[in-house]
Amino acid sequence: MSEPRSQDAASDLGSGSRRRTWAELLAGRVKRQRQGLGREHKLPESAVRLLRRHLNLNDLLLEVGGSACKTLCLNQWMDPEASADLSSSFIGSALRDEASRLGVPVAVLSSRAVASSFVQICASSGEPSHRVLLNAEQRKKMSSLLEVAQYLLAHSMFSRFSFCQELWEVRSSLLLEAVWHLHVQNLVSLQELLESHADTQATVAWLFKDLCVLCEQMEASTQHTDIARAMLSDFVQLFVLRGFQKNSDLRSVEPAQMAQLAMAVLQRMLMFALEALATGLQDESPAYRAVKSWFGVFCGCTYGAAVSADVPKRFFSHTLTQVLTHKPVLRVSDAVQMQRDWSFAKTHPLLTSLYRRLFAVLRPEELLGHLQEVLETREVNWQHVLSCVSTLVICLPEAQQLVKACTQVLVCQL
């Protein structure tokens, strides 16, 4: 009986097939199991990413805990007088219990609670005008809040991602100094916060607006000058490093989004300053103070040891190009007629101060080589070109011979 069955089974395999051994069958099963295990590991990761993108924590808290949960925050604990007897560990324990009751991750709940208190502190000044600096009372409360947040982070009870998303929901309510304190206190770096927002254009607009106000207030107030200068220096360091550091200088390639954002902010600030100079500035006006403060960042001491020497050079060279090519509406014949009015003596002091700061980092040979390259390859603003050259020969006498040589080369090319 067995022989006919074997013959029938063999005939069923077909003339071009062979029977697989038990070892081969088992090997195929093990391979399929391993593939299944890989998919099982990838599935939770994908689910977490999907939830992070689409989870509405406000709706979740309302669903599981009622309307009272929507107003959950640490503000009552952050009051310096009321929180004297409350420790960070006590607050962390309370948040853990609340998260357990609601059935939500404690890190997400804590991040939302900290963000809510963060925003309320920013809005507690009661001053209607647009501000970017905290007052003394706000700084005291912010210090207490960040101390709690650091405890939560150290004990894996704080999500930077969720915190950043909460802040971007109320971007217009944030004070720039408060955001800076997050960076200084190593809770959330400026880069991490800025990269967490997908709308780069909106982030650039927010930064540009607040940096202009910061520059105005830095010159207007002596009380907060040191903090304002430290803030501006840290922001500019980040933008210059991320915008002008070459990939070969970095251990890993910086995200394109951050590089584009950094370049866009620096570009808008420079264009604002040049436009203000072109339209005329009254001394000590808000625009005058803003331009003066911004041109102050063009100083080697702004970047310190955190930035290699080549990075400021690339930034300064790029800035010089932007100045020389800003709105090239005049012809060479116009430049010849107006050259006496575009001398060092008649150039706005703020613009000459910018030139002198650029000259301090770039050697005369580099300046003239760069100037010649721009003139040969770009349409230029002749008023800025002539005022730049005039400032160069006045401030750097050793550059006079180089300017003459450069002029002769350019004339021969006409």
Side-chain angles (χ1 to χ4, degrees):
M1 293 293 292
S2 59
E3 185 175 350
R5 287 197 188 102
S6 299
Q7 292 176 351
D8 292 341
S11 64
D12 290 341
L13 290 172
S15 58
S17 302
R18 69 176 181 84
R19 190 191 305 271
R20 289 191 294 170
T21 66
W22 279 107
E24 290 173 330
L25 290 171
L26 290 173
R29 180 178 179 83
V30 170
K31 182 178 180 181
R32 288 194 297 273
Q33 287 178 339
R34 288 176 178 174
Q35 290 175 344
L37 286 173
R39 286 193 292 268
E40 288 176 3
H41 285 299
K42 292 179 180 179
L43 183 60
E45 295 176 2
S46 301
V48 169
R49 287 195 295 268
L50 184 64
L51 286 172
R52 279 183 168 182
R53 289 178 180 271
H54 300 287
L55 175 64
N56 187 321
L57 183 60
N58 288 338
D59 292 346
L60 177 60
L61 293 177
L62 282 173
E63 180 180 344
V64 299
S67 59
C69 294
K70 189 173 182 179
T71 59
L72 175 66
C73 78
L74 299 174
N75 216 42
Q76 63 271 29
W77 297 328
M78 291 305 103
D79 190 299
E81 296 179 1
S83 63
D85 298 327
L86 297 179
S87 65
S88 297
S89 60
F90 173 85
I91 296 173
S93 178
L95 283 167
R96 192 185 299 277
D97 291 344
E98 185 71 5
S100 178
R101 185 183 71 83
L102 296 173
V104 297
V106 63
V108 177
L109 184 64
S110 298
S111 302
R112 181 178 182 273
V114 173
S116 178
S117 292
F118 187 89
V119 172
Q120 290 201 24
I121 292 173
C122 289
S124 63
S125 68
E127 299 181 20
S129 59
H130 184 64
R131 298 169 57 253
V132 295
L133 298 174
L134 301 169
N135 59 35
E137 184 64 21
Q138 287 174 308
R139 288 194 187 105
K140 191 174 182 180
K141 291 184 177 181
M142 187 62 68
S143 177
S144 298
L145 175 65
L146 296 185
E147 182 179 343
V148 174
Q150 286 175 326
Y151 172 88
L152 297 172
L153 180 63
H155 290 79
S156 302
M157 299 170 60
F158 185 85
S159 167
R160 286 190 173 102
F161 178 88
S162 298
F163 180 70
C164 291
Q165 296 307 307
E166 292 289 333
L167 292 188
W168 285 122
E169 291 294 327
V170 288
R171 180 180 65 250
S172 59
S173 300
L174 302 179
L175 294 184
L176 198 63
E177 183 185 340
V179 172
W180 174 71
H181 280 296
L182 295 174
H183 173 79
V184 173
Q185 297 297 326
N186 295 317
L187 189 66
V188 178
S189 70
L190 293 175
Q191 178 168 342
E192 184 176 3
L193 178 64
L194 297 176
E195 286 178 343
S196 67
H197 196 215
D199 191 344
T200 301
Q201 187 174 357
T203 306
V204 170
W206 172 68
L207 285 168
F208 167 70
K209 179 182 176 182
D210 278 15
L211 285 174
C212 286
V213 176
L214 175 64
C215 289
E216 292 176 13
Q217 294 181 0
M218 187 167 69
E219 287 292 324
S221 172
T222 57
Q223 183 180 2
H224 307 293
T225 300
D226 290 343
I227 290 178
R229 284 178 178 169
M231 289 171 56
L232 187 60
S233 176
D234 284 349
F235 275 100
V236 172
Q237 275 191 33
L238 173 66
F239 296 147
V240 171
L241 181 63
R242 296 301 172 246
F244 292 91
Q245 186 121 15
K246 289 184 177 180
N247 292 340
S248 58
D249 299 334
L250 296 170
R251 293 180 181 178
S252 60
V253 179
E254 289 297 324
Q257 177 190 357
M258 188 62 208
Q260 292 171 2
L261 184 149
M263 294 284 287
V265 173
L266 294 172
Q267 175 83 0
R268 287 196 64 173
M269 291 300 296
L270 179 62
M271 292 302 104
F272 157 75
L274 295 178
E275 289 294 333
L277 287 171
T279 56
L281 284 175
Q282 295 183 355
D283 290 354
E284 302 309 319
S285 65
Y288 178 94
R289 293 196 298 266
V291 173
K292 182 179 179 182
S293 295
W294 183 250
F295 282 173
V297 307
F298 292 91
C299 174
C301 60
T302 300
Y303 310 99
V307 179
S308 66
D310 289 339
V311 174
K313 276 193 173 185
R314 286 194 283 268
F315 172 47
F316 282 32
S317 296
H318 176 80
T319 299
L320 182 58
T321 300
Q322 297 301 111
V323 174
L324 297 177
T325 58
H326 178 64
K327 290 191 173 180
V329 295
L330 299 173
R331 298 170 297 179
V332 177
S333 57
D334 298 321
V336 173
Q337 294 177 358
M338 301 291 292
Q339 60 182 318
R340 290 187 178 181
D341 295 325
W342 296 340
S343 63
F344 171 81
K346 295 184 179 181
T347 300
H348 197 288
L350 288 181
L351 185 56
T352 58
S353 73
L354 174 62
Y355 289 145
R356 296 173 74 167
R357 291 174 183 275
L358 298 177
F359 299 164
V361 172
L362 302 170
R363 292 181 293 104
E365 294 82 4
E366 293 175 321
L367 288 166
L368 268 298
H370 189 74
L371 176 62
Q372 184 172 347
E373 180 183 355
V374 171
L375 290 173
E376 291 174 350
T377 60
R378 306 282 291 274
E379 292 291 328
V380 297
N381 181 320
W382 283 103
Q383 181 179 2
H384 288 175
V385 170
L386 294 178
S387 64
C388 177
V389 173
S390 178
T391 304
L392 179 62
V393 297
I394 294 294
C395 297
L396 299 176
E398 63 271 26
Q400 293 182 9
Q401 293 300 322
L402 294 173
V403 170
K404 290 181 180 179
C406 178
T407 303
Q408 291 175 353
V409 170
L410 292 173
V411 169
C412 292
Q413 292 177 351
L414 293 179

